[in-house]
Amino acid sequence: YYEKSFELCQEKFSNPLFICFSDETDFYSQIDSTRHDIQVIKNEYAVDWMILHLSDKMISSNSSFCWTASLHNKEFLIQPRNGLNSQQNNFMPVPYGFQIPGAILV
């Protein structure tokens, strides 16, 4: 999901910097850093949420934490196609509308 999202951003924006907020910083070591400019940051949850909420461009994880942070202020938003049901193969939407209008689904 993240590789595809990063590729999409590479096509849309010139030289994007991917700032990744995570309490599992080792996760991002598996992404090819020679192809993507990645900076991983670990803050307190409230700080991460506020930064995500105030950013105008975002690649959202499949968590309710990111979903709530991505509800407003977004000019560019990528969401997982199946949202919180990420293991589902039939691309059915999550009940109660996980997809945010205008988001790109990957």
Side-chain angles (χ1 to χ4, degrees):
Y1 166 74
Y2 291 108
E3 284 285 352
K4 289 180 184 178
S5 297
F6 288 173
E7 291 297 327
L8 186 65
C9 290
Q10 295 279 27
E11 293 172 12
K12 181 147 179 77
F13 305 104
S14 64
N15 301 317
L17 168 62
F18 298 98
I19 302 173
C20 303
F21 299 93
S22 180
D23 55 354
E24 298 175 7
T25 56
D26 290 343
F27 170 80
Y28 293 96
S29 65
Q30 60 190 315
I31 296 174
D32 185 358
S33 61
T34 62
R35 293 176 49 212
H36 308 293
D37 190 3
I38 298 172
Q39 182 178 357
V40 182
I41 298 174
K42 181 178 181 179
N43 294 315
E44 294 180 27
Y45 292 118
V47 173
D48 284 348
W49 189 91
M50 187 58 69
I51 293 170
L52 291 170
H53 175 69
L54 293 174
S55 67
D56 63 350
K57 297 172 187 69
M58 183 173 163
I59 298 171
S60 180
S61 71
N62 65 337
S63 69
S64 57
F65 181 84
C66 279
W67 183 80
T68 58
S70 63
L71 281 173
H72 305 284
N73 312 322
K74 303 301 174 260
E75 294 175 13
F76 181 83
L77 174 63
I78 297 176
Q79 287 186 285
R81 180 174 302 281
N82 290 317
L84 296 174
N85 289 333
S86 62
Q87 301 304 313
Q88 213 174 42
N89 291 324
N90 58 2
F91 302 113
M92 296 295 294
V94 174
Y96 314 115
F98 182 83
Q99 180 186 354
I100 295 172
I104 299 166
L105 301 180
V106 173

